[in-house]
């Protein structure tokens, strides 16, 4: 465990860690980026994400990390909810194509599924549930959403997941064309992490 670590993000995703570090260090006075670590390289128990909601899966991961490390643990579960698909891919977003984390395959499948859907019915939203669990059992969950529409082709090189296909509400750029700071300001994860940062600040004193 890195010396001085105070908060652990129960994820190996480096881009999620960078987002959480930016948001928490801006919201929590005196917290340095290096005190917010990811679970990469730390032997945490495997967590079976068998809940049927973003909130439930985020709590499973945060509880496991807090119990194993004795640190404040933050976890998120997030995904894309498409209106005409009844909210799918939802909690299955990362493995929509059948291969977990294959962004290209997931985007290709989604484009194919929506190929004949007219523009006015391509509404969607990114959803994030962020969970905070303390080693004393304290728990908080916050939810953030970013509404928008789905494009017909990829745009932009930034972000990850479905960002190149997602046009945020009131934007002319895809989520993958925004800078990290611009995306943080409006994203589902940014909103959920900023809300959870209030609880982190309170617990860290």
């Amino acid at each position: 465990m890195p010396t001085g670590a105070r908060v652990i993000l129960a994820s190996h995703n480096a881009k999620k860690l960078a987002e959480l570090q930016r948001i928490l260090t801006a919201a929590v006075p005196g917290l340095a980026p290096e005190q917010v670590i990811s679970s990469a390289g730390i032997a945490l128990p495997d967590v079976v994400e068998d809940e049927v909601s973003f909130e439930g899966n985020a709590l499973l991961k945060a509880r496991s990390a807090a119990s194993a490390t004795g640190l404040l643990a933050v976890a998120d579960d997030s995904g894309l909810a498409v209106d005409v698909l009844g909210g799918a891919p939802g909690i299955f977003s990362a493995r929509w194509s059948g291969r977990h984390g294959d962004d290209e395959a997931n985007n290709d499948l989604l484009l194919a599924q929506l190929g004949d859907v007219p523009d006015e019915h391509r509404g969607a939203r990114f959803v994030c549930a962020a969970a905070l669990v303390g080693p004393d059992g304290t728990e908080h969950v916050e939810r953030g959403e970013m509404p928008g529409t789905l494009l017909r082709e990829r745009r932009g090189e930034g972000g990850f997941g479905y960002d190149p296909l997602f046009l945020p509400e009131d934007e002319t750029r895809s989520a993958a064309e925004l800078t990290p700071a611009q995306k943080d300001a409006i994203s589902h994860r940014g909103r959920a992490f900023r809300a959870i940062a209030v609880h982190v600040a309170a617990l860290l004193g």
Side-chain angles (χ1 to χ4, degrees):
M1 191 75 61
T3 302
R6 305 194 71 187
V7 181
I8 185 167
L9 172 65
S11 171
H12 294 180
N13 188 311
K15 292 182 179 179
K16 283 187 182 181
L17 175 64
E19 282 186 87
L20 184 64
Q21 286 175 327
R22 287 194 301 269
I23 291 164
L24 282 188
T25 54
V28 182
L31 186 67
E34 61 269 18
Q35 292 178 301
V36 184
I37 64 170
S38 81
S39 56
I42 299 172
L44 295 182
D46 288 333
V47 177
V48 178
E49 296 178 40
D50 55 3
E51 293 288 339
V52 294
S53 68
F54 293 114
E55 289 83 357
N57 283 323
L59 275 168
L60 285 177
K61 293 182 280 189
R63 286 168 182 158
S64 177
S67 175
T69 64
L71 297 174
L72 289 179
V74 174
D76 86 292
D77 197 45
S78 52
L80 179 69
V82 180
D83 294 348
V84 297
L85 296 181
I91 61 171
F92 303 109
S93 293
R95 52 187 183 276
W96 192 233
S97 64
R99 297 187 297 276
H100 193 283
D102 190 334
D103 291 349
E104 290 302 303
N106 290 337
N107 281 303
D108 285 343
L109 177 57
L110 188 64
L111 282 172
Q113 290 170 323
L114 300 181
D116 59 354
V117 176
D119 291 347
E120 63 268 25
H121 295 302
R122 296 175 73 89
R125 65 190 57 245
F126 276 122
V127 179
C128 174
L132 169 67
V133 176
D136 63 351
T138 300
E139 295 186 350
H140 297 280
V141 181
E142 298 288 351
R143 184 181 178 98
E145 297 190 1
M146 178 168 61
T149 56
L150 291 172
L151 299 165
R152 295 188 175 276
E153 59 184 19
R154 294 168 174 81
R155 280 173 35 189
E157 301 297 326
F160 56 97
Y162 298 96
D163 284 350
L165 295 181
F166 190 82
L167 184 69
E169 190 173 73
D170 300 323
E171 258 295 342
T172 58
R173 296 164 296 178
S174 77
E177 293 175 305
L178 301 175
T179 67
Q182 289 167 338
K183 183 183 171 187
D184 286 351
I186 63 171
S187 78
H188 55 308
R189 191 173 296 108
R191 288 168 172 160
F193 279 171
R194 281 192 295 275
I196 216 71
V198 176
H199 303 296
V200 173
L203 290 172
L204 290 178

